[in-house]
Amino acid sequence: MFSETPPSIKPSGAPSVAKRVSIKDIARLACVSHSTVSRALRESPLVNPDTAEKIRRIAADNGFRASAVARSLATSRTNTIGVVVTSIEDPFVAEVVSGIEDEAIAHDYSVFLANCHADPQREMKVVQSFEDRRVDGIVVTASRVGALYASVLEQMHIPIVLLNNQHPSQFAHSILIENFEASRAAVAHLIRLGHSRIAYIGDRFGYGSDSERFSGYRSALDEADIAFRPNYVLHGDGKAEAGRVAMEKLLAVRPAPTAVFCYNDMTALGARQAIRARGLGVPDDISLVGFDDLALACYMDPPLTTVRQPKHRMGQMAMQVLLKLIAGEDAEQNVRVAGELIVRESTAPPKENSECNYSSARKTRSRKSMVSSSSRS
Amino acid sequence: MFSETPPSIKPSGAPSVAKRVSIKDIARLACVSHSTVSRALRESPLVNPDTAEKIRRIAADNGFRASAVARSLATSRTNTIGVVVTSIEDPFVAEVVSGIEDEAIAHDYSVFLANCHADPQREMKVVQSFEDRRVDGIVVTASRVGALYASVLEQMHIPIVLLNNQHPSQFAHSILIENFEASRAAVAHLIRLGHSRIAYIGDRFGYGSDSERFSGYRSALDEADIAFRPNYVLHGDGKAEAGRVAMEKLLAVRPAPTAVFCYNDMTALGARQAIRARGLGVPDDISLVGFDDLALACYMDPPLTTVRQPKHRMGQMAMQVLLKLIAGEDAEQNVRVAGELIVRESTAPPKENSECNYSSARKTRSRKSMVSSSSRS
DNA sequence: AATTTGGTTGCACACGTGTTCAGTGAGACC
DNA sequence: GGTCTCACTGAACACGTGTGCAACCAAATT
């Protein structure tokens, strides 16, 4: 009508992307200032309801979506958080992240995810990038670094929440599972079943959660007046393969343990494989207890007795604490959540005759040579 | 010296956050304009090396980090991509995301992660939020929606890559596993072992990857002149529980199948449990094949024969295609990647005497009553 | 009728960075 | 010595949105 549209010349090769419509375009179409558009779209009471409605209609018709980037610059809030994890492939981590993300999206936050693969250098790098992107907060899950943060956290003007971090820091808030109580309960369960030769396969030596779980183990032993045997304690790395290797070593110790408490379910999964490879049964020859209650725990053979961590819930809690901190409210420095012992079928009373060796242990050349059949009634 | 610092009055309750230093602050300290600072920090050849060095030093000393938000607004590039997944708790998805993230970070991109829990409404919502945030590109992994995208994708000015999407779209690029060839190879493997009564537990009926894998299954059967039995085909939902339920039904079919090809490893995991609950053995009574080669596949009992998808690699490829598209280059519309049959111990020749019933099947009241011992040499 | 009030609106600036363009000064060349 | 060139720098604007403040108008009040 008013202006001729010049013949649009598309640059060859480039896709025909219509220029992104901005708030000013809408303002022009609605014959108002961009301020009014801004107010109308944000439901401000300062604009006439009729014009507001008209503006909203025009905006919708033109598929206008306000740029979160520009808004962030203006408001200095990004509605964005950063989550740094050791590895998203770790099922424990994945569930926690899921909880964080659910809670975040419910509050209109988006989450940046970054793996650091337990590499301190990369961990610092991603935290840097989060800071560059002006995230409103950061959650660090199961970091093996932690200590490094101390110096950074001081300078950081962003609230941080650590979840099951190996090295809790006084500069940050934390969500923590009650390692001590939970593992003591797990080991007490084994003792109640009649076990006294109980081994422990831990995480890497020196990590916070490992030493806490180890303390719970020791405490349960002490309480039952069971002598502690140093050679019943081995260290893995929280993954299945290391659990398998540790279990193999454990099977050579004499007198042989009749039960094994594992740092986590993945370790137990590896241990289970080593036990089976020796032709032994769970729980008939060895009782097995894990920690985490991963989804796969109840699909193991037999279903694994373990300590449940409310992983999804813990992720939500971390986000909730973070939201409080972002809002400037104060929150509890360390939230400790209780674990729950889930008794399944990998634990049973020890065999009467298993004095110091496994009765049914046989040297098997090939794992293929095993088959399940029933023998116990 | 020049100005007295007024006694700093911290607002009570608020943390003592030093005001964020901006490029102008650095400019003031270095006695240059902010333009020069900008150029110096971006290693522009337009600034004198000495002043550049001086500026960089001052910036570093003051812990200055340029705001990615402001930069994004100025350059209209965010160096950010969005990844939407059904559920990050799915191990397959987790590995893919890990690959995406690794490749992204290597190119200085950050990734937004969003679960949609297979809820179309939420899926649209997160894609919206990605658009609002002006991500440079989007990867959609294993979406069960897909079809809905058609209308959105048309309007979207953002490149999108779909990975193993159930409903490929002409509007987007895709990374796809060779479902047909891989499943045909898996079933052919069973046939080579001597099986002819082979069942299939699929994903939800109608999904793209399910029908492709089913086609491969049928093709292998046809090629070997094995009659197709409709009652050997059941549908789950790609998760363990559904696999268990489907397998239970399958165990009641007569003549009973001697081998089962599962849509994925999780389904196989559930099927394994159902088989064990009936007191049957794998592979002695039933051979089992999965798909995906999850990390847990080799820790199953017995280790699972399955089709490996290069999940991490596929994630990287998706990111690479996306980077090309972002750069304005064109990329192959559909990249198909080959699966690889990994033969482990869950497959073996069928028993000679298993004519139409399981010889060793026993009614077991409790799964606890099973123990492994070796019987076959 | 003059003044006040209250509801709407637009102007102008801010947010922090990138980038074009017009200088500015020093050295080189004629 | 004058001019040209080149290296470098700063002013000004752009990016798209939010917001304080002033202005405007109509209705209500004095």
Side-chain angles (χ1 to χ4, degrees):
Chain A
M1 287 293 222
F2 301 109
S3 67
E4 275 185 30
T5 56
S8 73
I9 301 170
K10 291 176 194 167
S12 65
S16 68
V17 286
K19 168 106 175 50
R20 185 139 230 153
V21 335
S22 85
I23 202 173
K24 288 180 189 169
D25 299 321
I26 304 301
R28 200 174 309 119
L29 291 173
C31 299
V32 293
S33 72
H34 82 273
S35 319
T36 305
V37 176
S38 171
R39 283 189 271 256
L41 296 181
R42 296 171 61 72
E43 319 256 329
S44 161
L46 290 180
V47 342
N48 182 297
D50 293 341
T51 41
E53 182 51 37
K54 173 181 150 202
I55 291 173
R56 278 193 285 267
R57 213 197 54 240
I58 295 180
D61 288 352
N62 292 70
F64 170 71
R65 305 239 84 210
S67 161
V69 175
R71 174 176 301 150
S72 297
L73 184 59
T75 61
S76 65
R77 295 255 282 89
T78 55
N79 265 39
T80 276
I81 67 151
V83 175
V84 17
V85 302
T86 50
S87 166
I88 190 64
E89 302 177 41
D90 180 331
F92 173 83
V93 170
E95 272 199 59
V96 168
V97 168
S98 182
I100 295 173
E101 205 265 341
D102 284 349
E103 193 70 16
I105 219 172
H107 292 82
D108 272 313
Y109 272 74
S110 291
V111 345
F112 279 116
L113 179 75
N115 279 324
C116 64
H117 300 297
D119 171 10
Q121 198 175 344
R122 180 150 170 191
E123 187 156 0
M124 296 312 284
K125 187 179 162 191
V126 303
V127 171
Q128 284 284 18
S129 96
F130 284 163
E131 212 186 348
D132 291 353
R133 297 193 180 281
R134 301 295 188 264
V135 297
D136 295 334
I138 294 182
V139 178
V140 181
T141 300
S143 163
R144 300 179 174 279
V145 185
L148 274 185
Y149 280 112
S151 63
V152 184
L153 291 182
E154 278 179 300
Q155 307 217 340
M156 191 90 64
H157 352 40
I158 306 176
I160 296 203
V161 175
L162 308 179
L163 196 148
N164 274 11
N165 205 283
Q166 300 293 0
H167 304 276
S169 163
Q170 51 169 320
F171 297 104
H173 289 65
S174 315
I175 309 289
L176 293 156
I177 190 77
E178 296 268 28
N179 282 313
F180 180 82
E181 291 78 358
S183 53
R184 195 172 57 163
V187 176
H189 161 69
L190 290 170
I191 294 172
R192 245 188 336 268
L193 287 173
H195 292 274
S196 62
R197 300 206 303 275
I198 304 171
Y200 171 64
I201 303 179
D203 196 353
R204 287 212 165 85
F205 184 73
Y207 286 153
S209 56
D210 173 69
S211 49
E212 284 180 23
R213 290 178 199 177
F214 172 71
S215 296
Y217 161 79
R218 286 236 31 190
S219 171
L221 257 43
D222 290 349
E223 199 171 327
D225 279 324
I226 297 175
F228 169 65
R229 304 168 188 251
N231 59 350
Y232 273 10
V233 175
L234 290 174
H235 288 276
D237 63 2
K239 300 199 204 138
E241 178 56 18
R244 194 183 62 73
V245 172
M247 190 67 218
E248 273 176 6
K249 289 182 190 157
L250 215 44
L251 286 167
V253 175
R254 289 295 175 274
T258 61
V260 180
F261 172 51
C262 294
Y263 171 76
N264 64 8
D265 289 356
M266 291 307 287
T267 301
L269 188 63
R272 174 72 187 98
Q273 197 186 48
I275 294 170
R276 185 184 302 123
R278 275 284 290 269
L280 297 173
V282 171
D284 300 275
D285 296 301
I286 298 180
S287 284
L288 205 56
V289 177
F291 204 108
D292 286 353
D293 192 29
L294 301 179
L296 67 84
C298 57
Y299 288 98
M300 281 177 63
D301 170 32
L304 187 67
T305 294
T306 188
V307 172
R308 172 174 299 165
Q309 294 198 58
K311 301 167 283 298
H312 194 273
R313 180 94 192 83
M314 287 166 76
Q316 290 180 310
M317 291 169 70
M319 188 64 205
Q320 283 161 2
V321 169
L322 200 53
L323 286 170
K324 273 193 184 179
L325 295 175
I326 291 171
E329 307 166 21
D330 45 31
E332 205 172 340
Q333 174 98 21
N334 292 307
V335 181
R336 303 201 72 107
V337 352
E340 180 191 0
L341 183 65
I342 306 289
V343 178
R344 295 205 181 90
E345 300 164 30
S346 70
T347 48
K351 274 186 183 164
E352 304 77 12
N353 60 344
S354 69
E355 194 48 50
C356 70
N357 224 326
Y358 302 111
S359 53
S360 66
R362 290 186 22 158
K363 283 197 169 46
T364 58
R365 287 192 321 283
S366 160
R367 305 212 23 260
K368 264 198 174 175
S369 63
M370 284 174 283
V371 65
S372 34
S373 64
S374 52
S375 70
R376 226 181 61 184
S377 64
Chain B
M1 287 300 220
F2 301 110
S3 65
E4 276 184 30
T5 54
S8 70
I9 300 171
K10 292 177 192 165
S12 66
S16 66
V17 287
K19 168 107 176 49
R20 187 139 229 155
V21 335
S22 86
I23 203 173
K24 289 180 189 171
D25 299 320
I26 304 301
R28 201 173 308 120
L29 291 173
C31 300
V32 293
S33 72
H34 82 271
S35 319
T36 305
V37 176
S38 171
R39 283 189 273 254
L41 297 180
R42 297 172 62 73
E43 318 256 330
S44 161
L46 290 180
V47 348
N48 182 299
D50 292 341
T51 40
E53 181 52 35
K54 174 181 148 200
I55 290 172
R56 279 194 285 267
R57 216 198 50 239
I58 294 181
D61 289 351
N62 292 69
F64 170 72
R65 306 239 85 210
S67 160
V69 175
R71 173 176 301 150
S72 296
L73 183 59
T75 60
S76 65
R77 295 257 279 86
T78 56
N79 266 40
T80 276
I81 67 150
V83 176
V84 17
V85 302
T86 50
S87 165
I88 191 62
E89 301 176 41
D90 180 333
F92 173 84
V93 169
E95 272 199 60
V96 169
V97 169
S98 182
I100 296 173
E101 205 266 340
D102 283 350
E103 193 70 15
I105 219 172
H107 292 83
D108 273 312
Y109 273 75
S110 292
V111 346
F112 280 116
L113 178 74
N115 280 323
C116 63
H117 299 297
D119 171 10
Q121 197 173 346
R122 180 154 171 188
E123 188 155 0
M124 296 313 282
K125 186 179 163 190
V126 304
V127 170
Q128 285 284 18
S129 95
F130 284 163
E131 211 185 349
D132 290 352
R133 297 193 179 282
R134 302 295 189 263
V135 297
D136 295 335
I138 293 182
V139 178
V140 180
T141 301
S143 164
R144 298 179 174 280
V145 185
L148 275 184
Y149 280 112
S151 62
V152 184
L153 290 182
E154 278 180 301
Q155 307 217 338
M156 191 90 63
H157 353 40
I158 305 176
I160 297 204
V161 175
L162 309 179
L163 196 147
N164 274 12
N165 205 285
Q166 300 293 359
H167 304 276
S169 162
Q170 52 170 320
F171 297 105
H173 289 64
S174 315
I175 309 290
L176 293 156
I177 190 77
E178 297 267 28
N179 281 312
F180 180 82
E181 291 78 358
S183 53
R184 195 172 56 163
V187 176
H189 161 68
L190 289 170
I191 294 172
R192 244 189 336 268
L193 285 173
H195 292 274
S196 62
R197 301 207 302 274
I198 304 171
Y200 172 64
I201 302 179
D203 196 354
R204 288 210 164 86
F205 184 74
Y207 285 153
S209 55
D210 172 70
S211 51
E212 285 179 23
R213 289 178 200 178
F214 172 71
S215 296
Y217 161 80
R218 285 235 35 186
S219 170
L221 257 44
D222 289 350
E223 198 171 329
D225 280 325
I226 297 176
F228 169 65
R229 305 169 189 250
N231 58 351
Y232 272 11
V233 174
L234 290 174
H235 288 276
D237 64 1
K239 299 198 203 140
E241 178 56 19
R244 195 183 61 74
V245 172
M247 189 67 218
E248 273 177 7
K249 290 182 190 156
L250 215 44
L251 286 168
V253 174
R254 290 294 176 272
T258 61
V260 180
F261 172 51
C262 295
Y263 171 77
N264 64 8
D265 288 355
M266 292 308 286
T267 301
L269 188 63
R272 174 71 186 96
Q273 197 186 47
I275 295 169
R276 186 184 301 122
R278 277 282 292 266
L280 297 172
V282 172
D284 299 273
D285 295 302
I286 297 180
S287 283
L288 204 57
V289 177
F291 205 108
D292 285 354
D293 191 30
L294 302 180
L296 66 84
C298 57
Y299 289 98
M300 281 177 63
D301 171 31
L304 187 69
T305 293
T306 188
V307 173
R308 172 174 299 166
Q309 294 199 56
K311 300 167 284 298
H312 195 273
R313 180 95 193 83
M314 287 166 75
Q316 291 180 311
M317 291 168 69
M319 187 65 206
Q320 284 161 1
V321 169
L322 199 54
L323 286 170
K324 273 192 184 177
L325 295 175
I326 291 171
E329 308 166 21
D330 45 30
E332 203 173 341
Q333 173 100 21
N334 292 308
V335 181
R336 303 201 71 108
V337 351
E340 179 191 1
L341 183 66
I342 306 290
V343 177
R344 295 205 180 91
E345 301 164 29
S346 69
T347 47
K351 275 188 182 162
E352 303 78 13
N353 59 343
S354 69
E355 194 46 52
C356 71
N357 224 325
Y358 302 112
S359 53
S360 67
R362 289 186 20 158
K363 283 199 168 47
T364 58
R365 287 191 321 282
S366 160
R367 306 208 25 260
K368 265 196 172 175
S369 64
M370 284 174 284
V371 64
S372 33
S373 63
S374 52
S375 70
R376 227 180 60 186
S377 63

